Amino acid sequence: MGIPCHEPTYVYGDNQSVLANTTVPDSQLKKKSNSIAYHFVREGCARDEWRTTYINTHENPADLLTKPLPSGEK
């Protein structure tokens, strides 16, 4: 994007095991799609472009976007 950034961006997550996998260089992942995403994040952390950190589920505003809405049927 060409926007200069002088400090790492923080990526928040509520899954501690996933966050731990981003810092362990030898961890193996079962699904290929997850493996690609984790390697992407892991490489960004290694280059100090971003850092992963834990956020409690109840404090995570993005968590609302991952839950299904009620159908409204009775």
Side-chain angles (χ1 to χ4, degrees):
M1 296 177 87
I3 301 171
C5 186
H6 304 290
E7 56 188 51
T9 302
Y10 282 85
V11 178
Y12 296 94
D14 61 358
N15 188 326
Q16 292 179 355
S17 64
V18 170
L19 294 174
N21 277 331
T22 62
T23 58
V24 178
D26 294 330
S27 64
Q28 298 293 322
L29 299 165
K30 304 251 184 234
K31 293 184 178 180
K32 184 176 181 181
S33 59
N34 288 347
S35 180
I36 292 169
Y38 291 137
H39 285 293
F40 179 76
V41 172
R42 191 179 300 149
E43 290 171 4
C45 289
R47 290 189 303 264
D48 205 31
E49 293 176 354
W50 53 74
R51 295 181 185 157
T52 58
T53 188
Y54 176 76
I55 186 170
N56 189 307
T57 301
H58 302 294
E59 298 172 2
N60 187 356
D63 201 37
L64 293 172
L65 303 174
T66 65
K67 307 293 186 229
L69 295 173
S71 65
E73 297 178 14
K74 296 181 181 184

